[in-house]
Amino acid sequence: MRTVLVTGTGGAGRTTVAAATALAAAREGQRTLLLTADPDGTPEALLGIRALRSAPGRSADRLPWSVPVELAPGVWAARIITDEWFRSELTALQERGHGLLDLLGATPLDDEELTPLPGVESLALLRALRAAQTAPPGTGWDVLVVDMPPAPDTVALLALPEQLRRYLRRLLPAERQAARALRPMLAQLAGVPMPAQKLYETAERWERELAAVQGVIESEATTVRLVVEPGPLADRALRTARAGLALHGCRVEAVIANRLLPTGTSDPWLAALSGQQQDALKELYEQWAPAVPVRELPHLGRDPHGVGDPRGTEPRPGADGVDAQRAPAGLAALAGAVGAPGARPDRPAPDPWTVEDRLADDGVLLWRLPLPGADRDGLGLVRRGDELIVSVGPFHRMLPLPSALRRCTVSGAGLRDGWLQVRFTPDPDLWPKRL
């Protein structure tokens, strides 16, 4: 299943582009689900549909989103239901850990008093990504389009599964689980249940779920669309987002330049804004194209409302300020310009983090990491044991070193043409010696 994550700068029209992307995929004959986590009703107003609500019954028996509403032939919309998902997960956790709670004399929380905690929205969204992949064959979707949070929050969210798995490995290392075979005997001797058993079982379950979600994020079938309203301030934010996505191995499929004003107008105020947009648009093409396509969406003169009839029209100001041009109305007008998601590659792309052997010429091994959009001022490197901690602006990632580099010391690094190149010199005490 193709998964398209739509994010971008704040207020650039991510929901609009996500909806247009879903419509474009449906036009190609692909069953498409549009997911949003926005709780304030904006998606319903944009799509012109009734409120997206959860189905009756226990949330544990349902998918982590509301009942899908059909927007047009082949495309449905749904909202990620954070409240119900949180209650379901916490209730299940209490049931699994009832022995520990009894041992501590704790009173379990009732379902009615459970309210979502800050940050739960991110976990619910990740759970939805995983759930969409596990639908039975013939009953699921061909394309999943997700209306994501703004780019900085999206990068942090996509990094979360790897970070949580690391925490679990440090706090509950797998090698210590070998003692689990002794716990039944210890429980009989002590006369009380051993709560660590449930703890490790829960940790194992979380590890499996997090690994599955991370697999979805890193899959070649998952891509990102970045939405930006061209301008001098948005350019900086987009550069930071690009570097953060590259740091975590996320592939950008397209950049969507949204709400472009008409050119050639005689109105000096509108001409100044349009000229500023065109300058920023030129920068976008220079930074991204041709490796990543840049697609232009016109400003419709108002916010789109509803899917719209592709044969309908709405006015668009001409060069003389008169409504001389006509354009299709609604989201259907934007679907053609935004385009359907690209096809999934037949073969996975090679690992871009390559080690180049320069021992013969320079006496070093060179580790090359693609970081387009990064700048030297916001770049940080720390060697910690067998890991390299890379910081790009507000984003961080701990990368395990390839086996050959673990026997080396870091001798320098440089950022050139969007590539971070880290030089490693073999450690004489650890490097194999020739006989």
Side-chain angles (χ1 to χ4, degrees):
M1 184 179 70
R2 284 284 283 110
T3 301
V4 183
L5 310 178
V6 181
T7 183
T9 55
R14 300 183 311 275
T15 303
T16 299
V17 172
T21 299
L23 287 172
R27 287 180 173 182
E28 298 290 330
Q30 303 179 90
R31 286 172 52 86
T32 305
L33 176 65
L34 171 64
L35 274 185
T36 179
D38 195 327
D40 63 2
T42 299
E44 288 95 332
L46 173 69
L47 299 171
I49 59 176
R50 65 178 185 272
L52 299 171
R53 302 185 183 278
S54 57
R58 284 180 52 83
S59 56
D61 302 328
R62 302 192 311 268
L63 293 169
W65 53 71
S66 64
V67 178
V69 174
E70 189 170 11
L71 301 179
V75 58
W76 290 262
R79 168 179 282 112
I80 297 170
I81 305 298
T82 302
D83 291 11
E84 286 85 346
W85 176 82
F86 175 77
R87 292 190 184 96
S88 173
E89 288 294 304
L90 194 53
T91 299
L93 180 62
Q94 288 186 145
E95 292 174 353
R96 288 192 297 269
H98 68 88
L100 176 60
L101 295 176
D102 291 344
L103 185 64
L104 298 175
T107 303
L109 297 169
D110 295 329
D111 183 74
E112 294 77 10
E113 60 182 317
L114 298 177
T115 56
L117 301 175
V120 170
E121 296 85 358
S122 297
L123 297 176
L125 197 155
L126 291 174
R127 178 67 183 90
L129 287 180
R130 165 64 174 156
Q133 308 287 328
T134 57
T139 62
W141 292 271
D142 304 313
V143 177
L144 173 69
V145 180
V146 187
D147 176 20
M148 301 289 288
D153 297 331
T154 291
V155 175
L157 186 151
L158 298 178
L160 191 56
E162 184 178 70
Q163 293 171 343
L164 292 178
R165 293 181 70 194
R166 176 183 174 81
Y167 296 161
L168 284 175
R169 288 193 297 268
R170 291 293 298 273
L171 297 175
L172 297 170
E175 57 269 18
R176 295 186 182 179
Q177 298 187 39
R180 289 169 56 185
L182 299 176
R183 292 191 189 115
M185 183 184 304
L186 294 175
Q188 291 181 359
L189 293 174
V192 295
M194 301 299 291
Q197 174 72 17
K198 291 293 184 181
L199 181 62
Y200 276 105
E201 289 177 355
T202 300
E204 289 173 359
R205 174 177 171 270
W206 287 348
E207 164 65 23
R208 289 193 301 269
E209 288 296 319
L210 290 170
V213 174
Q214 187 176 347
V216 173
I217 294 171
E218 297 177 350
S219 169
E220 283 295 314
T222 299
T223 56
V224 177
R225 289 191 170 191
L226 280 175
V227 186
V228 61
E229 185 172 346
L233 298 179
D235 176 70
R236 177 69 180 180
L238 202 64
R239 285 174 180 264
T240 303
R242 184 183 189 183
L245 290 169
L247 177 63
H248 293 285
C250 300
R251 183 163 62 94
V252 178
E253 180 190 72
V255 175
I256 312 298
N258 194 23
R259 298 179 183 146
L260 293 177
L261 298 170
T263 59
T265 178
S266 58
D267 185 317
W269 183 81
L270 183 59
L273 291 178
S274 176
Q276 180 177 271
Q277 276 194 341
Q278 291 301 312
D279 291 341
L281 185 62
K282 181 181 178 181
E283 291 287 334
L284 282 180
Y285 275 101
E286 291 176 352
Q287 294 171 20
W288 293 87
V292 177
V294 177
R295 295 174 181 161
E296 303 179 21
L297 294 185
H299 201 303
L300 299 179
R302 59 172 176 81
D303 292 333
H305 179 75
V307 173
D309 185 346
R311 297 167 298 178
T313 60
E314 64 178 11
R316 181 185 296 170
D320 56 359
V322 180
D323 296 336
Q325 305 178 49
R326 308 291 292 183
L331 292 169
L334 304 177
V338 79
R344 174 177 178 172
D346 293 333
R347 298 179 180 177
D351 188 352
W353 299 343
T354 56
V355 178
E356 185 177 341
D357 188 346
R358 293 189 180 179
L359 292 175
D361 298 331
D362 304 321
V364 298
L365 295 174
L366 194 67
W367 200 21
R368 291 165 47 86
L369 296 86
L371 289 179
D375 56 58
R376 289 179 174 83
D377 293 337
L379 189 63
L381 287 175
V382 176
R383 169 76 181 270
R384 182 183 181 279
D386 291 338
E387 296 175 318
L388 187 68
I389 306 175
V390 183
S391 300
V392 181
F395 309 118
H396 310 273
R397 188 175 185 185
M398 304 190 71
L399 300 172
L401 294 175
S403 58
L405 301 184
R406 296 175 187 175
R407 301 190 295 273
C408 303
T409 58
V410 178
S411 54
L415 185 66
R416 182 177 303 171
D417 299 328
W419 287 82
L420 173 62
Q421 304 182 58
V422 188
R423 298 185 297 276
F424 289 81
T425 303
D427 186 336
D429 295 332
L430 300 176
W431 199 256
K433 297 179 175 61
R434 293 183 180 180
L435 300 176

